[in-house]
Amino acid sequence: MENMDSIYTDIIMEASTSKHNKHNLTNPDFTEHGHNPSCGDDITLELKMNGDILEDISFTGTGCAISQASTTIMIDLFKGKTKQEVLKLIDIYLRMIKREKISNEEIDSLEDAAALQNISNMPARVKCAELAWYTMQKILNK
């Protein structure tokens, strides 16, 4: 069996090159730009709501493998969930990245985003992993 680090690396590498969430939406309800000046990651999230449900989400922009993977994984996790569910997942994810205490159940709720847990060991990359999540939080708190 592969060790967890290599499985997580595979998830991140696959997500970083995936294009399935990378496009513009037609008539999005929300658009929010996110920028990480420390490394140049630059994304724009687009979101379509259906009542309280995040019906469709996409992004455009450029950045390192970690920011691109984090954005793709986040979108896959959030599609079809309610605003409250998403805000809770953002909170769990940001606590995980900041190495705060979270339960195994909370880690499991992040699905593939749990693959980014070890980014917390690389302080220079934390902002890359957080960019999309803070950008989405900004949209939902408007």
Side-chain angles (χ1 to χ4, degrees):
M1 180 175 157
E2 288 186 85
N3 73 25
M4 290 309 282
D5 287 344
S6 70
I7 291 169
Y8 283 168
T9 302
D10 291 347
I11 290 170
I12 292 169
M13 290 315 299
E14 189 179 311
S16 72
T17 58
S18 172
K19 303 285 183 234
H20 71 277
N21 291 323
K22 198 169 185 177
H23 55 85
N24 288 104
L25 293 183
T26 307
N27 302 319
D29 297 313
F30 298 97
T31 301
E32 190 68 47
H33 181 247
H35 181 69
N36 177 358
S38 63
C39 75
D41 297 330
D42 195 89
I43 62 162
T44 299
L45 289 179
E46 294 184 336
L47 172 62
K48 252 191 183 357
M49 297 290 290
N50 182 353
D52 208 29
I53 295 176
L54 284 71
E55 187 173 63
D56 202 3
I57 312 164
S58 72
F59 81 104
T60 54
T62 57
C64 68
I66 290 171
S67 81
Q68 297 287 290
S70 176
T71 305
T72 293
I73 290 167
M74 179 196 77
I75 289 171
D76 287 342
L77 180 62
F78 291 174
K79 274 185 190 171
K81 291 193 169 50
T82 67
K83 179 180 174 178
Q84 289 314 97
E85 288 172 319
V86 168
L87 286 169
K88 183 178 178 188
L89 288 167
I90 291 171
D91 175 65
I92 293 167
Y93 177 84
L94 294 174
R95 285 188 290 126
M96 175 188 78
I97 292 291
K98 292 174 182 161
R99 292 178 141 174
E100 293 174 14
K101 188 160 173 45
I102 61 174
S103 69
N104 288 336
E105 187 180 84
E106 286 176 315
I107 288 276
D108 290 346
S109 73
L110 293 174
E111 298 174 17
D112 281 355
L116 293 153
Q117 185 172 12
N118 289 334
I119 299 300
S120 64
N121 299 326
M122 298 178 271
R125 307 317 303 260
V126 166
K127 282 186 171 30
C128 308
E130 292 174 336
L131 179 63
W133 299 73
Y134 275 124
T135 306
M136 180 59 76
Q137 190 177 50
K138 201 169 170 183
I139 291 172
L140 296 178
N141 285 329
K142 282 187 174 175

